[in-house]
Amino acid sequence: MRAMTSREQILVGVDGGPGGAAAVRYAIEEAERHHRDLRLVHVAPWYSPAPMFSLVPTELEAIGRRILSDAAAEPRRRLGTERVTTSLMTGSRVGCSVQAATHAVLVVLGNDRPSLVDRVLTGAMLSGLAARSTHPVVAVPNSWTRDRPRNRVVVGVKNPDQATEQLRRALAIAGDRGAELQVVHAWELPGAYDDIIADRTTQAAMNQQVRDRLRAVVDQLVPGQPVPSVDIRIEHGQPARVLQRATARADLLLLERRPHAFPLGHLGATGRALLREGLCPVEVLPPSRDPWKEESLVLESAGVFHAEEEQPL
């Protein structure tokens, strides 16, 4: 048993497929950039998924160890044997991965873009871990390669007033990569409300107001971050579609879970869609804000809106 190092660790989930291979390639790049160790984890099923061709536990274990051995070959060649470890676990893929990620600073998974039926399972794994992890989780498409870098990091911001830590990390990542940072806020109102706003000149005023709020946050953070350039884009449209288009011209998309759900926040429909359909690696951050410190709820009574006041316990 080798001595543990003091370097930070990146956890990589591998399953023997092309998505897992892409995740390993991405993790190697991150380990080299930040001088971190890699831990490759494979979660084997605790039962044979095909009863008519049942496998005993020792056979399942042998398959899992072969998957890990194959996946570890390249990172060990690039990083050195002492910086790469492997772990074979048995049980729930999400539960085991959450447990394994306890001491990691980053979790990397592959996105195989499978068939519609397989996508239900793969999507559940990606969104399940991204929704529960206390550390950033990256989903890497199986087509990902560093051969053609875009030199752009995109961060999707939902609420400018709650995005300080998300923007801080985005600026740091862009600075480390020497890349442009593109800050994107997309908005769309329900039904008739959107039609009314979209047809009025107030849309431009609304966009400028949000742009100014984002610029103020960025300007406050930029002095401490070596970023080549920051581009702020405000776009009217469904956020998932706007951000999915942006991934075609980016090296990384950065999102943050909503802080509304206790205790770990909530991964919304936009985040789940982009984990599945992003054309570049998509990183989901855990909430940076205390969910119990959310702004007061706004309630409607007889057409009049009231701010709900906090009551003493």
Side-chain angles (χ1 to χ4, degrees), residues 232-282:
I232 297 178
R233 281 184 52 208
I234 312 300
E235 187 167 336
H236 174 243
Q238 186 183 54
R241 291 177 180 171
V242 171
L243 291 169
Q244 200 269 348
R245 289 196 299 268
T247 62
R249 303 178 299 278
D251 297 313
L252 180 69
L253 169 65
L254 196 67
L255 304 173
E256 184 178 67
R257 286 204 311 264
R258 300 175 185 175
H260 306 304
F262 179 82
L264 296 174
H266 173 65
L267 184 65
T270 297
R272 294 195 300 272
L274 288 163
L275 282 173
R276 294 191 309 267
E277 306 298 336
L279 302 176
C280 73
V282 177

Side-chain angles (χ1 to χ4, degrees), residues 1-312:
M1 180 177 179
R2 73 175 178 87
M4 297 296 291
T5 71
S6 59
R7 284 185 292 266
E8 294 177 322
Q9 188 181 81
I10 297 172
L11 179 76
V12 192
V14 295
D15 59 3
V24 170
R25 293 195 300 270
Y26 182 90
I28 291 173
E29 296 280 345
E30 289 299 295
E32 289 179 329
R33 182 179 291 116
H34 299 288
H35 199 61
R36 289 170 173 162
D37 290 348
L38 290 190
R39 180 185 176 194
L40 276 57
V41 173
H42 174 72
V43 181
W46 60 271
Y47 66 96
S48 175
M52 66 187 71
F53 301 107
S54 60
L55 298 172
V56 298
T58 54
E59 292 174 308
L60 292 172
E61 180 180 344
I63 293 171
R65 294 199 181 282
R66 185 174 70 245
I67 290 172
L68 282 169
S69 178
D70 292 345
E74 179 64 11
R76 282 174 172 159
R77 185 185 69 81
R78 295 266 298 271
L79 303 174
T81 303
E82 73 283 354
R83 290 178 58 190
V84 181
T85 58
T86 62
S87 298
L88 178 63
M89 305 180 76
T90 302
S92 161
R93 294 176 69 192
V94 174
C96 287
S97 298
V98 170
Q99 178 185 351
T102 302
H103 301 294
V105 295
L106 183 69
V107 181
V108 185
L109 300 173
N111 180 5
D112 276 320
R113 295 191 175 281
S115 66
L116 181 60
V117 174
D118 291 338
R119 183 180 299 178
V120 174
L121 300 177
T122 302
M125 170 61 183
L126 289 173
S127 61
L129 184 54
R132 293 172 58 184
S133 175
T134 56
H135 303 282
V137 174
V138 181
V140 184
N142 58 11
S143 59
W144 178 85
T145 176
R146 284 290 294 168
D147 294 343
R148 292 176 294 174
R150 312 286 183 169
N151 295 318
R152 175 183 292 168
V153 173
V154 176
V155 54
V157 174
K158 181 179 178 66
N159 187 336
D161 297 328
Q162 301 174 7
T164 300
E165 293 306 314
Q166 183 186 9
L167 288 170
R168 192 191 308 278
R169 177 164 175 82
L171 286 163
I173 292 174
D176 287 342
R177 297 174 178 227
E180 173 195 40
L181 177 62
Q182 187 174 81
V183 182
V184 178
H185 173 80
W187 63 274
E188 184 179 58
L189 299 177
Y193 297 97
D194 194 68
D195 294 337
I196 294 171
I197 293 294
D199 288 340
R200 293 182 177 177
T201 57
T202 52
Q203 181 183 151
M206 290 172 61
N207 287 352
Q208 187 60 50
Q209 182 183 30
V210 176
R211 183 178 288 106
D212 291 343
R213 288 158 63 191
L214 281 170
R215 175 58 64 183
V217 177
V218 170
D219 288 347
Q220 181 183 12
L221 297 172
V222 161
Q225 304 289 351
V227 180
S229 64
V230 179
D231 173 40
I232 297 178
R233 281 184 52 208
I234 312 300
E235 187 167 336
H236 174 243
Q238 186 183 54
R241 291 177 180 171
V242 171
L243 291 169
Q244 200 269 348
R245 289 196 299 268
T247 62
R249 303 178 299 278
D251 297 313
L252 180 69
L253 169 65
L254 196 67
L255 304 173
E256 184 178 67
R257 286 204 311 264
R258 300 175 185 175
H260 306 304
F262 179 82
L264 296 174
H266 173 65
L267 184 65
T270 297
R272 294 195 300 272
L274 288 163
L275 282 173
R276 294 191 309 267
E277 306 298 336
L279 302 176
C280 73
V282 177
E283 179 172 336
V284 178
L285 303 176
S288 58
R289 304 176 68 246
D290 184 344
W292 295 110
K293 294 181 180 178
E294 283 297 294
E295 289 80 2
S296 297
L297 298 176
V298 176
L299 306 178
E300 181 185 8
S301 175
V304 180
F305 287 89
H306 305 277
E308 183 185 35
E309 298 180 353
E310 294 184 358
Q311 299 296 328

